[in-house]
Amino acid sequence: MISNSDYDENLLKQQEIQDKNFLIDIAIGYTKSVALSCALKFKIPQLLEDKSKSCKELSEVLNVNCDNLYRLLRTLSTIGIFIEDELEDGVFRNSRLSKLLISSTSDSWVNNVYLQSHPNVIQSFMYLDKTIESGTSQGMTSQGFSSAWELFEKDKQLKAHFHNTMTSFTSDEIKTILNNIDFNQYKTIVDLGGSSGELLKSIAKSPRGKFVESFINLDLPLVINQNKINNQNGGGGEEFDKRYTEVASDFFIDSDYPSANCYTLKFIFHMFDDDKVLSILNKIAKSIKPNGKVYVFDHIVQPKNQPSAPFYFDLQMVLNFNGKERSQKEWRNVFERSPFKIDTILILSDSKRMSVIELSLA
């Protein structure tokens, strides 16, 4: 008969084994992200779109070593990315997961997978220790880039994945935003850092933006210029609402923002430290019309000691942008130093990642 003490000891041993395996899995976690990055680089999901193929066929198309390609795909198949034929070694087909990686259109969430598994993004984490030691972002500078923006300019495909990721975030969240905010109360809305303009275009199409007189998308000149190129190449879709315009401007260099009743900032402040956030808020305060509002759509990290995506984004922000994700307390500390006061904070239960902070002049 097994005593209670023996039973408890066995449970403790089993837990210890599980804990050790968990820590090893974390330690080698980079192998999964790098392997995925490699498969995406070689466009394996697309090559398997029509039918199963052998590694010999794939290696001939890609002009790579067949044996090493096999080892890559075999490893990914163990975590559900691709499926190796049970009877014939070295023959693979797409799995349910890898089928999701085939499309990377402008509004697809898959862009974020390509973004997060990009070699330079992965490499940036090798400089986390230097970032912690120095107190400044080292993820890009240690790779020879002045900033993530320089990397985006040098790697046009990565730049497209970044902006498409932002667009897909907006597409995911726009229903939630419109369910909580009626924008008809404002004559002019300026979206600061609006990228492709997806947020304003969606509001303009909604009954909750029907009576807004002007929508202004403000972003960096390189972003606005890319929007123009996309539109000229037919990537702009249907003709824009005539109320919609775009302004090329730098948050920090140019003196004033367009005057408006409402300013929106979607996943913008988390890319900056507190001082730069305050700089933006001070400029908004000079341009906002009486009784105007500012809506901050961003992460609020919570709760402690539980897995949550914003905590991981926080490391990316400090590594690559010198920014940060903030708790409610940290957001309040920033806004208390600004010309604005918090009217409401909405932790949106139906949102994947976003909360809404509503501000007005103090």
Side-chain angles (χ1 to χ4, degrees):
M1 182 175 178
I2 300 176
S3 67
N4 287 337
S5 60
D6 289 338
Y7 181 74
D8 291 341
E9 185 176 348
N10 286 334
L11 283 178
L12 288 172
K13 287 181 178 179
Q14 290 176 18
Q15 184 63 57
E16 183 180 359
I17 292 171
Q18 291 178 10
D19 290 346
K20 289 177 178 178
N21 289 337
F22 176 75
L23 291 173
I24 289 294
D25 193 51
I26 291 176
I28 64 172
Y30 66 91
T31 60
K32 299 174 185 178
S33 54
V34 173
L36 175 60
S37 175
C38 193
L40 295 177
K41 175 184 177 180
F42 292 135
K43 300 186 183 301
I44 303 297
Q46 289 82 358
L47 290 173
L48 297 177
E49 184 173 6
D50 297 328
K51 63 175 183 178
S52 298
K53 289 185 175 68
S54 69
C55 277
K56 185 175 185 299
E57 292 176 282
L58 292 170
S59 64
E60 289 174 353
V61 171
L62 295 169
N63 192 28
V64 299
N65 181 271
C66 180
D67 183 56
N68 289 344
L69 178 63
Y70 171 63
R71 294 156 84 173
L72 169 71
L73 299 184
R74 179 178 63 179
T75 298
L76 287 171
S77 71
T78 67
I79 54 174
I81 302 174
F82 310 119
I83 298 173
E84 183 176 7
D85 191 277
E86 292 288 347
L87 301 177
E88 191 173 359
D89 290 348
V91 175
F92 291 87
R93 66 181 186 273
N94 272 324
S95 66
R96 175 173 52 86
L97 294 179
S98 60
K99 284 178 181 178
L100 294 173
L101 301 171
I102 293 173
S103 173
S104 59
T105 56
S106 62
D107 61 347
S108 172
W109 66 272
V110 177
N111 283 281
N112 198 24
V113 177
Y114 281 83
L115 174 66
Q116 302 298 343
S117 61
H118 188 277
N120 289 107
V121 175
I122 294 171
Q123 181 67 20
S124 69
F125 275 85
M126 298 300 102
Y127 304 102
L128 180 58
D129 56 343
K130 290 180 66 175
T131 297
I132 293 170
E133 290 167 357
S134 67
T136 59
S137 174
Q138 298 290 320
M140 290 292 118
T141 54
S142 294
Q143 297 183 69
F145 304 104
S146 61
S147 67
W149 307 114
E150 183 185 352
L151 170 60
F152 293 155
E153 280 308 290
K154 291 186 175 181
D155 189 328
K156 302 298 183 184
Q157 189 60 56
L158 180 62
K159 175 183 173 183
H161 286 315
F162 174 78
H163 289 294
N164 289 343
T165 296
M166 298 302 102
T167 298
S168 71
F169 281 180
T170 300
S171 299
D172 286 348
E173 306 290 3
I174 189 61
K175 182 178 179 181
T176 300
I177 291 172
L178 291 171
N179 282 342
N180 285 275
I181 304 169
D182 185 355
F183 290 95
N184 283 318
Q185 58 190 303
Y186 309 113
K187 287 186 177 181
T188 302
I189 303 175
V190 173
D191 189 18
L192 297 175
S195 190
S196 65
E198 183 69 18
L199 175 61
L200 293 182
K201 293 173 188 175
S202 298
I203 296 172
K205 293 175 184 177
S206 165
R208 290 201 151 194
K210 181 178 180 180
F211 300 112
V212 178
E213 295 178 3
S214 177
F215 298 93
I216 303 172
N217 178 29
L218 185 149
D219 212 319
L220 292 168
L222 62 91
V223 175
I224 300 302
N225 289 338
Q226 186 62 50
N227 289 347
K228 291 177 181 177
I229 293 171
N230 292 343
N231 296 335
Q232 290 168 0
N233 293 337
E238 62 190 57
E239 184 179 351
F240 294 165
D241 190 304
K242 288 182 172 54
R243 298 173 294 168
Y244 176 89
T245 57
E246 295 191 329
V247 172
S249 180
D250 187 290
F251 285 160
F252 306 105
I253 296 175
D254 298 321
S255 57
D256 295 311
Y257 299 147
S259 182
N261 311 94
C262 173
Y263 293 85
T264 56
L265 300 103
K266 180 177 58 64
F267 298 121
I268 298 299
F269 282 161
H270 74 157
M271 291 191 292
F272 300 114
D273 62 26
D274 291 351
D275 288 340
K276 288 191 173 181
V277 169
L278 288 169
S279 175
I280 293 171
L281 289 170
N282 286 332
K283 290 180 70 172
I284 294 175
K286 294 177 181 178
S287 302
I288 195 168
K289 294 183 177 180
N291 302 314
K293 294 283 188 179
V294 177
Y295 292 98
V296 178
F297 306 111
D298 221 314
H299 295 127
I300 294 181
V301 293
Q302 56 153 357
K304 295 180 180 180
N305 301 314
Q306 293 186 31
S308 178
F311 291 108
Y312 303 106
F313 282 126
D314 189 34
L315 292 181
Q316 288 190 335
M317 292 303 108
V318 72
L319 272 168
N320 299 323
F321 297 96
N322 217 33
K324 64 190 297 187
E325 306 295 353
R326 296 171 173 88
S327 64
Q328 279 204 50
K329 181 180 179 181
E330 289 170 319
W331 280 116
R332 291 184 185 278
N333 288 341
V334 173
F335 295 134
E336 283 174 0
R337 296 165 55 197
S338 81
F340 291 90
K341 62 180 177 67
I342 297 174
D343 293 329
T344 58
I345 295 179
L346 294 175
I347 308 292
L348 302 176
S349 59
D350 57 342
S351 169
K352 299 178 181 65
R353 60 185 67 84
M354 187 187 69
S355 297
V356 181
I357 304 173
E358 180 184 325
L359 308 173
S360 61
L361 286 171

